[in-house]
Amino acid sequence: MANVTRYDPFNELVDDLFKGFLVRPLGFEGRGEGGVHLPRAKVDVSEKNGAYLVTAELPGVRKEDIHVAIDGPQVTLEAEVKREKEASKDERTLHSERVYGKVVRSFTLPQEVEESKAEAKFKDGVLELTLPKKAAAQRKQIAIQ
């Protein structure tokens, strides 16, 4: 027996209008193996003593598989979760919820960062960055002749 559903054009219009506008999918950024959505890296940014403190949750990622790039005020975190083992030919996976693949997260800070003084620590799946602010250029007064 076929399922019968009632056509409601108003609901479809509202869904299409707000899709991706006010209601966004939470916590997904890219696609991993098999087209599975990868969880977005959760990031906290705070400010203390002239530096930005960035804390990012990267569960299941090894320190060697994390890359941080700084370009002025823009910070890019890139991490890859690799499959730990391949299934042998006599093994069959019945259920799997763990995701493998690459996650990239970029954000812009209010002020440029001093790249040479930046520090990074990684422990227990949490990346901690200390990003000192670049000193603002002093305003130069020009004498008019």
Side-chain angles (χ1 to χ4, degrees), residues 5-7 15 20 26 41 43-45 50 67 73 75 78 85 91-94 98 101 109 114 119 124 128 130 142:
T5 57
R6 184 177 202 168
Y7 176 68
D15 286 347
L26 296 175
V43 176
D44 292 338
V45 180
H67 303 284
V75 179
E78 202 172 303
K85 68 174 190 143
E91 181 181 349
R92 183 173 64 126
T93 302
L94 300 175
R98 299 182 344 175
L109 297 169
E114 188 70 50
E119 296 178 5
D124 298 331
E128 293 179 356
T130 303
I142 299 175

Side-chain angles (χ1 to χ4, degrees), residues 46-67:
S46 58
E47 192 175 3
K48 181 180 179 183
N49 297 332
Y52 296 108
L53 305 174
V54 179
T55 306
E57 291 181 0
L58 301 169
V61 177
R62 295 182 323 176
K63 181 168 75 171
E64 300 81 31
D65 297 326
I66 300 172
H67 303 284

Side-chain angles (χ1 to χ4, degrees), residues 49-119:
N49 297 332
Y52 296 108
L53 305 174
V54 179
T55 306
E57 291 181 0
L58 301 169
V61 177
R62 295 182 323 176
K63 181 168 75 171
E64 300 81 31
D65 297 326
I66 300 172
H67 303 284
V68 179
I70 301 169
D71 184 16
Q74 176 128 11
V75 179
T76 302
L77 305 176
E78 202 172 303
E80 186 172 5
V81 180
K82 296 182 178 176
R83 186 178 295 272
E84 294 166 4
K85 68 174 190 143
E86 293 296 322
S88 61
K89 64 180 181 179
D90 62 334
E91 181 181 349
R92 183 173 64 126
T93 302
L94 300 175
H95 180 74
S96 179
E97 292 181 356
R98 299 182 344 175
V99 179
Y100 305 95
K102 187 180 277 191
V103 175
V104 178
R105 182 78 192 267
S106 289
F107 50 90
T108 303
L109 297 169
Q111 191 173 332
E112 288 193 20
V113 172
E114 188 70 50
E115 297 100 352
S116 62
K117 296 180 182 177
E119 296 178 5

